[in-house]
Amino acid sequence: MDRRNLLATAGAAFVLPAMRTRAATPPPTNPHMLWYTAPAKEWVEALPVGNGRIGAMVFGGTATEQLQLNEDTLWAGGPYDPANPRAHDNMAALRTLIFDKKYAEAEAFANANVMATPLRQAAYQTVGSLMIEMPGIAAASAYRRELDLDSALAETRFTANGATYRRRVIASPVDQVVAVHLTADKPGAISAKLRFTCPLKSWQAAAEGSDMLVLSGRNNDHFSIPGALRFEARLKAIANGGRVIGAGDSLTIEGADAVTLLIAMATSYRRHDDVSGDPAAITRGQIATAARKPFARIAADATTEHRRLFRRVGIDLGGTPAASLPTDQRVRQSETVDDPALAALYFQYGRYLLICSSRPGSQPANLQGIWNDKTSPPWGSKYTININTQMNYWPAELTALPECVEPLIRMVSEIAQTGAKMARDMYGARGWVTHHNTDLWRATAPIDGAKFGLWPTGGAWLCTHLWEHYEYNPDPAFLSRIYPILHGASLFFLDTLQTDPETGHLVTNPSLSPELGHGRGSSLIHGPTMDMQILSDLFDQTVAAARILHKEGDTTRQFAAARARLLPMKVGKEGQLQEWPYDWDGSSAELNHRHVSHLYGLHPSRLIDMDRTPALAAAAKLTLEIRGDKATGWATAWRINLWARLRDGERAYSILRFLLGPERTYPNLFDAHPPFQIDGNFGGTAGMVEMLVQNHGETIELLPALPSAWPTGSVRGLRTRGGCTVDLAWRDGRLESARIAGRIAGNRTVILNGKRRTIPVGPGRVVTLGAGQFA
Ligand code: FUC
């Protein structure tokens, strides 16, 4: 089969056979496998499964197995309105202090008068754990545990007492249960005690009938806001042979040949303003339905549904002997040993994690996706929307997971409701606003402290994801649905942008550049560069949407006029891109700060571009040099994307290597901020796409930042705007073939090494290009 045929049939085979393996060692049989030779001791060694809504961390213990459990609506508190009633009356005075450059005073004033009540948002909680105790298992040997990203199944195998034990765990998006299968190759070898543990304040566990165990309780309070949710985790044990006995707070299994455990979890959460659900009825129903199927059927159905999404994209960056080692060893040595397949695994892991933490109907992926073992996790494991939540969704459209964006779109539409009240109460403005965080309750007020939270542009940034979803999947009905959200976000800024007394431009005030002090007593400022960039995009996208939907009117013209009056980007005296309206970059206390907010214009936005705005691109590059390559997990991942946009594949790759190393990647491949924060995983996946394919409007640039470390490889199924799919294969650093297919008739300009070619795309049309066609 030649390469073209191979690419053409690649829909069936999810990975192209390695074009070139670098050594005689055969590549691992499954390039999608994380595997280990010992049980997890720490939580960041355990392996995540999830169906978008519920999930488990599988420790793979032998005599004691722990499944740490999550349900994505189990958060602290209840519906609440955090608006500060004093905010509106004090806004004008605050703006004056900022325009007068009395920043420390402004910050103290803001903290005293405009911040959220309570000052913190609610935290995401854990359900607890299911403990499976098999005290009869003594010394285990031939141990292996693994997670197969392609089947979404976690498995533990070992030998003990002369039997081989096998435990499989899968979270089913079809049956809404976490299903566990315990087997042994000796009859009657499975005896176990099952019990729940829970770190929440109010809970109980009790056997129900002979084969069910129910953990039920209430979520924790959030400051003065009482826990308003009831939750339940319901376990049913189905044994083949032997028996199951329910008594007290545990289930006992005696002498079974095999056991299926079904775990359902639910809370009474229905919406941010409705907690009237019945978790007992929900979990009972889910268990009753799932119990009609054997484990093999549940697992097969779950895998099929997972693969529907997962197999849309395949990647092969070549292999080395390192690929045959256990995953934790590969991470440990990844900065010194060549292991391109680890990067490919990390790439697919990002896609796996998104599929498992964000599916239609679920909550969006939070700071930890859905996986959290604490009641008070770092940053509440909530939604930080000054970079982190956005980064979670960077790979979604690019790697063919548009369905996974649905929870984000729904969250934004809910914030547009709670945020409309906030806009009125806090600013006396139309439209809607949210600041730098939100939670399950869709809280929108500025939190934590003015220097972090008083940033009104979080919702505007989220709107760009809605627009992007439309651009990748053009559907006028979807655009009509989101248009009021974009319109409302733009309207808020129309009402609240202030005229900068020094320049006459329109600026945000109060605001800040996340989350960096400018060295003049605070971070508070008017018109930080990032705001101006985000609002340029927001206004442009709202106007474009109005045009497409034939809804242009007076307000649209006002949006366009406001856009034209925004404070423009500036290059400072060192040649850097200015983060603030003044040339203060050098005086910030933290030159290497993790946030690179003003580089939003270079990535994810395209306001700065090497071809169209070379001077700004050069300034952004200098800013990146000054900030440095090493940062927290997500900030490291962002730098990969940024250097890729600057077409510097070697730099992007060297930062990727740091991201994949043990300082930024835990043994289970979770991103280390540290601590664990999932955005770095997603940002890493997106960054690798940016190295291979970049898309802006109707241009598609092939191999813009291919590093020499990946001389030969292929990628299949990437998406670009307008419903296009791109497959690529390259050899010895040179494009071998690109295959571009589009669902919608139009043209695309394809760029390779600066050379352009325009091709037609459309239904049924597939264009295949080789390097020779870019003369
Ligand atoms: C922002 C970042 C931190 C962290 C937190 C969740 O505040 O500055 O690094 O990622 O979000």
Side-chain angles (χ1 to χ4, degrees), residues 367 379 384 388 515 594-595 634 673 677:
L367 287 174
W379 292 285
T384 306
N388 315 89
E515 301 177 12
R594 59 193 182 284
H595 284 268
W634 62 262
H673 179 289
Q677 206 170 283

PDB file of all heavy atoms in Angstrom, residues 367 379 384 388 515 594-595 634 673 677, ligand 1:
ATOM      1  N   LEU A 367     -10.003  22.921  37.027  1.00  0.00           N
ATOM      2  CA  LEU A 367      -8.525  22.968  37.113  1.00  0.00           C
ATOM      3  C   LEU A 367      -7.901  21.581  37.201  1.00  0.00           C
ATOM      4  O   LEU A 367      -6.734  21.405  36.906  1.00  0.00           O
ATOM      5  CB  LEU A 367      -8.086  23.795  38.324  1.00  0.00           C
ATOM      6  CG  LEU A 367      -8.252  25.311  38.235  1.00  0.00           C
ATOM      7  CD1 LEU A 367      -7.910  25.950  39.573  1.00  0.00           C
ATOM      8  CD2 LEU A 367      -7.384  25.895  37.128  1.00  0.00           C
ATOM      9  N   TRP A 379      -6.494  26.043  44.706  1.00  0.00           N
ATOM     10  CA  TRP A 379      -7.336  27.017  43.991  1.00  0.00           C
ATOM     11  C   TRP A 379      -8.778  26.523  43.850  1.00  0.00           C
ATOM     12  O   TRP A 379      -9.469  26.848  42.885  1.00  0.00           O
ATOM     13  CB  TRP A 379      -6.751  27.360  42.618  1.00  0.00           C
ATOM     14  CG  TRP A 379      -5.470  28.114  42.702  1.00  0.00           C
ATOM     15  CD1 TRP A 379      -5.327  29.441  43.032  1.00  0.00           C
ATOM     16  CD2 TRP A 379      -4.138  27.620  42.475  1.00  0.00           C
ATOM     17  NE1 TRP A 379      -3.994  29.783  43.021  1.00  0.00           N
ATOM     18  CE2 TRP A 379      -3.249  28.696  42.686  1.00  0.00           C
ATOM     19  CE3 TRP A 379      -3.632  26.369  42.118  1.00  0.00           C
ATOM     20  CZ2 TRP A 379      -1.875  28.555  42.538  1.00  0.00           C
ATOM     21  CZ3 TRP A 379      -2.257  26.231  41.969  1.00  0.00           C
ATOM     22  CH2 TRP A 379      -1.396  27.313  42.186  1.00  0.00           C
ATOM     23  N   THR A 384     -10.594  28.873  36.734  1.00  0.00           N
ATOM     24  CA  THR A 384      -9.851  30.122  36.673  1.00  0.00           C
ATOM     25  C   THR A 384      -9.852  30.540  35.214  1.00  0.00           C
ATOM     26  O   THR A 384      -9.321  29.822  34.352  1.00  0.00           O
ATOM     27  CB  THR A 384      -8.424  29.925  37.195  1.00  0.00           C
ATOM     28  OG1 THR A 384      -8.497  29.350  38.498  1.00  0.00           O
ATOM     29  CG2 THR A 384      -7.702  31.258  37.289  1.00  0.00           C
ATOM     30  N   ASN A 388      -6.575  29.509  32.617  1.00  0.00           N
ATOM     31  CA  ASN A 388      -6.568  28.061  32.837  1.00  0.00           C
ATOM     32  C   ASN A 388      -7.730  27.332  32.168  1.00  0.00           C
ATOM     33  O   ASN A 388      -7.528  26.320  31.496  1.00  0.00           O
ATOM     34  CB  ASN A 388      -6.521  27.779  34.338  1.00  0.00           C
ATOM     35  CG  ASN A 388      -5.501  28.663  35.033  1.00  0.00           C
ATOM     36  OD1 ASN A 388      -5.844  29.767  35.460  1.00  0.00           O
ATOM     37  ND2 ASN A 388      -4.254  28.242  35.115  1.00  0.00           N
ATOM     38  N   GLU A 515      -1.455  37.926  36.416  1.00  0.00           N
ATOM     39  CA  GLU A 515      -1.778  38.382  37.751  1.00  0.00           C
ATOM     40  C   GLU A 515      -0.528  39.051  38.264  1.00  0.00           C
ATOM     41  O   GLU A 515       0.031  38.681  39.268  1.00  0.00           O
ATOM     42  CB  GLU A 515      -2.141  37.184  38.651  1.00  0.00           C
ATOM     43  CG  GLU A 515      -3.312  36.395  38.133  1.00  0.00           C
ATOM     44  CD  GLU A 515      -3.621  35.148  39.004  1.00  0.00           C
ATOM     45  OE1 GLU A 515      -3.097  34.994  40.122  1.00  0.00           O
ATOM     46  OE2 GLU A 515      -4.421  34.335  38.527  1.00  0.00           O
ATOM     47  N   ARG A 594       5.057  33.866  35.415  1.00  0.00           N
ATOM     48  CA  ARG A 594       4.443  32.775  34.646  1.00  0.00           C
ATOM     49  C   ARG A 594       3.430  33.277  33.618  1.00  0.00           C
ATOM     50  O   ARG A 594       3.387  32.799  32.496  1.00  0.00           O
ATOM     51  CB  ARG A 594       3.781  31.774  35.605  1.00  0.00           C
ATOM     52  CG  ARG A 594       2.708  32.370  36.485  1.00  0.00           C
ATOM     53  CD  ARG A 594       2.298  31.454  37.626  1.00  0.00           C
ATOM     54  NE  ARG A 594       1.232  32.055  38.417  1.00  0.00           N
ATOM     55  CZ  ARG A 594       1.388  33.022  39.298  1.00  0.00           C
ATOM     56  NH1 ARG A 594       2.601  33.491  39.542  1.00  0.00           N
ATOM     57  NH2 ARG A 594       0.370  33.520  39.957  1.00  0.00           N
ATOM     58  N   HIS A 595       2.627  34.247  33.997  1.00  0.00           N
ATOM     59  CA  HIS A 595       1.638  34.754  33.034  1.00  0.00           C
ATOM     60  C   HIS A 595       2.349  35.533  31.930  1.00  0.00           C
ATOM     61  O   HIS A 595       3.282  36.283  32.190  1.00  0.00           O
ATOM     62  CB  HIS A 595       0.646  35.697  33.736  1.00  0.00           C
ATOM     63  CG  HIS A 595      -0.369  34.974  34.575  1.00  0.00           C
ATOM     64  ND1 HIS A 595      -1.598  34.586  34.087  1.00  0.00           N
ATOM     65  CD2 HIS A 595      -0.325  34.567  35.859  1.00  0.00           C
ATOM     66  CE1 HIS A 595      -2.280  33.972  35.066  1.00  0.00           C
ATOM     67  NE2 HIS A 595      -1.530  33.943  36.146  1.00  0.00           N
ATOM     68  N   TRP A 634       1.166  25.063  33.287  1.00  0.00           N
ATOM     69  CA  TRP A 634       0.378  25.691  32.214  1.00  0.00           C
ATOM     70  C   TRP A 634       1.166  26.777  31.512  1.00  0.00           C
ATOM     71  O   TRP A 634       1.029  26.972  30.298  1.00  0.00           O
ATOM     72  CB  TRP A 634      -0.952  26.255  32.754  1.00  0.00           C
ATOM     73  CG  TRP A 634      -0.816  27.337  33.792  1.00  0.00           C
ATOM     74  CD1 TRP A 634      -0.897  27.186  35.148  1.00  0.00           C
ATOM     75  CD2 TRP A 634      -0.570  28.735  33.561  1.00  0.00           C
ATOM     76  NE1 TRP A 634      -0.723  28.405  35.765  1.00  0.00           N
ATOM     77  CE2 TRP A 634      -0.520  29.355  34.824  1.00  0.00           C
ATOM     78  CE3 TRP A 634      -0.385  29.509  32.421  1.00  0.00           C
ATOM     79  CZ2 TRP A 634      -0.288  30.731  34.974  1.00  0.00           C
ATOM     80  CZ3 TRP A 634      -0.150  30.872  32.564  1.00  0.00           C
ATOM     81  CH2 TRP A 634      -0.107  31.476  33.837  1.00  0.00           C
ATOM     82  N   HIS A 673       1.746  21.744  38.065  1.00  0.00           N
ATOM     83  CA  HIS A 673       1.916  23.224  38.118  1.00  0.00           C
ATOM     84  C   HIS A 673       3.253  23.546  38.732  1.00  0.00           C
ATOM     85  O   HIS A 673       3.959  24.393  38.148  1.00  0.00           O
ATOM     86  CB  HIS A 673       0.736  23.810  38.909  1.00  0.00           C
ATOM     87  CG  HIS A 673       0.735  25.301  39.084  1.00  0.00           C
ATOM     88  ND1 HIS A 673       1.622  25.959  39.903  1.00  0.00           N
ATOM     89  CD2 HIS A 673      -0.044  26.268  38.543  1.00  0.00           C
ATOM     90  CE1 HIS A 673       1.377  27.270  39.869  1.00  0.00           C
ATOM     91  NE2 HIS A 673       0.371  27.475  39.046  1.00  0.00           N
ATOM     92  N   GLN A 677      -2.313  20.313  38.017  1.00  0.00           N
ATOM     93  CA  GLN A 677      -3.313  21.175  37.390  1.00  0.00           C
ATOM     94  C   GLN A 677      -3.389  20.731  35.936  1.00  0.00           C
ATOM     95  O   GLN A 677      -2.368  20.641  35.264  1.00  0.00           O
ATOM     96  CB  GLN A 677      -2.890  22.640  37.511  1.00  0.00           C
ATOM     97  CG  GLN A 677      -4.049  23.597  37.481  1.00  0.00           C
ATOM     98  CD  GLN A 677      -3.623  25.008  37.835  1.00  0.00           C
ATOM     99  OE1 GLN A 677      -3.405  25.343  38.998  1.00  0.00           O
ATOM    100  NE2 GLN A 677      -3.486  25.821  36.834  1.00  0.00           N
TER     101      GLN A 677
HETATM  102  C1  FUC B   1      -3.924  31.490  38.240  1.00  0.00           C
HETATM  103  C2  FUC B   1      -2.439  31.237  38.068  1.00  0.00           C
HETATM  104  C3  FUC B   1      -1.906  30.256  39.039  1.00  0.00           C
HETATM  105  C4  FUC B   1      -2.792  29.037  39.075  1.00  0.00           C
HETATM  106  C5  FUC B   1      -4.212  29.427  39.338  1.00  0.00           C
HETATM  107  C6  FUC B   1      -5.164  28.291  39.309  1.00  0.00           C
HETATM  108  O1  FUC B   1      -4.154  32.222  39.366  1.00  0.00           O
HETATM  109  O2  FUC B   1      -1.729  32.426  38.218  1.00  0.00           O
HETATM  110  O3  FUC B   1      -0.615  29.902  38.596  1.00  0.00           O
HETATM  111  O4  FUC B   1      -2.716  28.385  37.848  1.00  0.00           O
HETATM  112  O5  FUC B   1      -4.642  30.315  38.363  1.00  0.00           O
END
